[in-house]
Amino acid sequence: MTTEPISLSAALASFTDRWSPRIVTAVNDYDVRVAKVEGEHVWHVHDHTDEFFLVLDGELHIALREPAGERTVVLPKGSVFTVPRGTHHKPYAPVPTQILLLEPTGTLTVGDHHEAIPDHVDATTGHALS
């Protein structure tokens, strides 16, 4: 972990892959990740952790399967949302979008259970910045 400031703009400019987060720093046992996203992710669930989203640019939709039924939250630029642990969800970005995620170190981007993973989604615990 670096002890110098990190530019999120520079971090985001350092890669082009979609749905393939980069770890910019750590806070205790959590990774702070940035990602470029567009199109659909996959339905997935994290059994033991919440998932925090901050939209830096663009717009993110998150479909949720909750006890009361399915709903979709829409997150414009500057919005935050936490998906509670145990909630099936599917992120979708209708336009190129940049997000910041906060998750425990080692958390897979496709959760503990997921549908088939398409080629454009990187099943990873995050990549180091290059």
Side-chain angles (χ1 to χ4, degrees), residues 3-4 6 10 14 24 26 29-30 36 42 46 48 50 70 76 81 91 94 107 118 120 127:
T3 57
E4 296 299 320
I6 298 165
S14 72
V24 294
D29 297 331
Y30 282 76
K36 293 179 176 181
V42 296
H46 301 278
H48 306 290
D50 302 333
E70 281 192 21
F81 185 76
T107 300
H120 72 277
H127 300 281

Side-chain angles (χ1 to χ4, degrees), residues 19-129:
W19 300 110
S20 183
R22 300 306 193 265
I23 300 167
V24 294
T25 191
V27 179
N28 297 317
D29 297 331
Y30 282 76
D31 287 341
V32 178
R33 305 174 184 176
V34 293
K36 293 179 176 181
V37 299
E38 186 176 12
E40 295 187 355
H41 196 263
V42 296
W43 279 105
H44 66 284
V45 62
H46 301 278
D47 291 336
H48 306 290
T49 185
D50 302 333
E51 186 172 16
F52 173 86
F53 293 86
L54 164 62
V55 177
L56 301 169
D57 193 38
E59 180 177 281
L60 185 68
H61 299 203
I62 304 175
L64 304 163
R65 290 182 179 150
E66 299 173 314
E70 281 192 21
R71 71 180 176 116
T72 299
V73 295
V74 177
L75 307 174
K77 179 180 177 177
S79 297
V80 299
F81 185 76
T82 300
V83 175
R85 71 192 72 201
T87 301
H88 283 82
H89 59 288
K90 181 178 186 176
Y92 168 75
V95 297
T97 298
Q98 298 176 349
I99 60 175
L100 182 141
L101 303 152
L102 184 64
E103 297 180 292
T105 299
T107 300
L108 274 172
T109 58
V110 294
D112 298 305
H113 311 282
H114 53 79
E115 63 184 7
I117 302 169
D119 290 341
H120 72 277
V121 172
D122 185 9
T124 179
T125 57
H127 300 281
L129 282 175

